[in-house]
Amino acid sequence: MTSPRFRRALAAAGAASALAAASLIAISPAHADDSGLPGSELYANPFSTTLEAAQSLSGQARADAQLLGSIPSAEWFTKGTPAEVEAAARLYVDHATAAGEQPVLVAYNLPFRDCAQYSAGGAKDTAAYEAWIDGLAAGIGGRPATVILEPDGLGIIPWNTDINGGAEWCKPAELDPATAASDRYAQLNHAVDALGALGATSVYLDGTHSGWLGVGDISDRLIKAGVERTAGFFLNASNYVETERLVKYGTWISDCINLSEKSWWEPGWCASQYYPANPGDFSTWGLSDAAYDKAYADTGVVRDAAAQAHFVLDTSRNGTGPWAGPAAPYTPGGDPEVWCNPPGRGVGAQPTTETGIALVDAYLWIKVPGESDGKCYRGTSGPLDPERGVEDPAAGQWFPAQARELISLSQPALAPLACEVHVVGTKVAKGFIAAITVRNNGATTLSPWTVSWSFGGAQQITKVVGGSYAQSGADVTVTAPRVASTLRSGKTTAFVVTGKGAADEPWLFRLNGAACTSR
């Protein structure tokens, strides 16, 4: 079989999905009494950009991409016309809904996103953005979904003045200084309302991270962006801050918003990681905890975890924490860009909606681990990354060396995939025939064994020798025959599949639900 090209995003415009809808737990904002994200099973896209990257790799690099691709990561929607993003979102949510799992979508198309830096792009203006968001919302429809709304959208605001009256650095000449910041809030409020109106979609706004904005500043921005009409906010997108710091920071933001919404309290009065705590000494952060206890006592407001803003954390690359940077700048006064493909980082906690923390709805992999942050010059003229000695891939492109680092330094450790699939296939007439060999590399005997996958197109199985099969839409499961139902550790089994349609090899196989590498 040959590798398929994913029928994704822009290529899917106007296509209708053949997948049947399955019911999921409905999602409601955390400001209400109930949130649907905790307890949900997160969706691992079998047609993800990570598994797409694996198709052009071999050896360890291929195995690394397949391992990371087997774990749920968010799907980024970054461009296209309203009709195109509607079709792309519908196709993605169709697949997740059919699997009975929770899709996580990242909306990343604000005008002047990232202030035209490494991840430059976005809609032309407010009207174009609002139409694009409406298309995204139409694609999601009434199905449960989680939307990470605009990473950096509140951290980097064009022509913004911070809560202390300081002018910020992002000043695009193309935008009107008098209206650019208010336009950003109008754009985000429209998105909050359009997505919130769907009824089963949890929306999270940008809460930056504890190495960036102070609690009062980001709380003020979240309130202006409509956080009270969402599930809450997200932290650490595409960054590296340790989980324990993020939990403190997020809790303070939730408290700051709660105090400001329920009393005479002002966000500018909120304690933070900068005061009375010392940002560089985590042992002092209890001082800010005490400041919030006093603020609650002074205002008479009561903490209510069920009703306060909740948050989610990006743990995709924070296993070893942030990079301190080089001992000395590469050029005098140069920016070491500690956020850009830093060396020696590892993935953190795997995605889950069971965090054990009332205000934390999930640990998510928002940034796709293994995809580059951009061409990092670190204050030099480039094109090489002076820290790595190579030219880094463009933002969003696969970076095999970084993927290897993230896996080898993961905390907690990522185990290799415990099964291996080898496919030998060929096209015949209007279909295909393929011999599939599966090796159980795990420690457990499987009885019976099952092998499952999703096709990338309209392929239909007509016969399986060496097992029975069931197919629903693109999803196929082959079950062991009674006479050979046991697959011991270290042993292999094989079966032959005949079908109609393109001879495209699926990107991900699973043995009894556990992902496999494939050669």
Side-chain angles (χ1 to χ4, degrees), residues 251-512:
T251 300
W252 295 339
I253 294 171
S254 181
D255 281 347
C256 184
I257 293 170
N258 190 40
L259 289 162
S260 300
E261 288 180 334
K262 301 291 178 58
S263 76
W264 41 264
W265 192 264
E266 296 287 341
W269 303 339
C270 289
S272 75
Q273 72 275 37
Y274 297 116
Y275 184 82
N278 178 339
D281 183 357
F282 190 65
S283 69
T284 69
W285 286 32
L287 297 173
S288 289
D289 289 334
Y292 280 97
D293 290 341
K294 186 175 187 307
Y296 274 104
D298 289 346
T299 60
V301 176
V302 177
R303 286 187 174 98
D304 184 353
Q308 289 181 218
H310 287 201
F311 55 99
V312 297
L313 310 180
D314 186 354
T315 59
S316 62
R317 303 187 296 178
N318 75 342
T320 58
W323 181 45
Y330 301 102
T331 59
D335 181 359
E337 297 177 339
V338 297
W339 54 268
C340 192
N341 297 334
R345 303 306 95 195
V347 299
Q350 291 193 38
T352 180
T353 60
E354 302 290 348
T355 69
I357 303 172
L359 290 175
V360 182
D361 285 347
Y363 301 139
L364 301 177
W365 283 9
I366 297 173
K367 168 71 176 181
V368 179
E371 291 186 355
S372 175
D373 293 315
K375 294 180 180 292
C376 312
Y377 298 162
R378 310 190 195 280
T380 71
S381 58
L384 300 184
D385 178 342
E387 180 64 27
R388 294 180 175 275
V390 299
E391 184 175 357
D392 295 348
Q397 299 302 304
W398 192 251
F399 196 172
Q402 188 184 60
R404 179 89 292 269
E405 290 174 356
L406 290 171
I407 292 170
S408 63
L409 299 173
S410 57
Q411 293 291 335
L414 280 181
L417 297 180
C419 51
E420 183 177 335
V421 172
H422 184 213
V423 180
V424 178
T426 186
K427 184 169 180 58
V428 291
K430 295 182 179 181
F432 59 88
I433 184 169
I436 300 177
T437 303
V438 183
R439 178 183 176 86
N440 178 11
N441 291 331
T444 303
T445 295
L446 305 177
S447 184
W449 55 262
T450 62
V451 177
S452 57
W453 66 85
S454 296
F455 281 122
Q459 294 94 332
Q460 288 290 325
I461 301 296
T462 57
K463 182 180 180 182
V464 171
V465 176
S468 59
Y469 76 94
Q471 181 170 2
S472 176
D475 302 322
V476 178
T477 300
V478 172
T479 302
R482 291 183 181 179
V483 294
S485 63
T486 298
L487 183 57
R488 294 183 173 84
S489 176
K491 299 300 182 178
T492 62
T493 190
F495 53 91
V496 178
V497 175
T498 303
K500 298 177 181 178
D504 290 345
E505 181 179 329
W507 289 356
L508 185 68
F509 291 88
R510 293 184 181 273
L511 176 62
N512 287 46

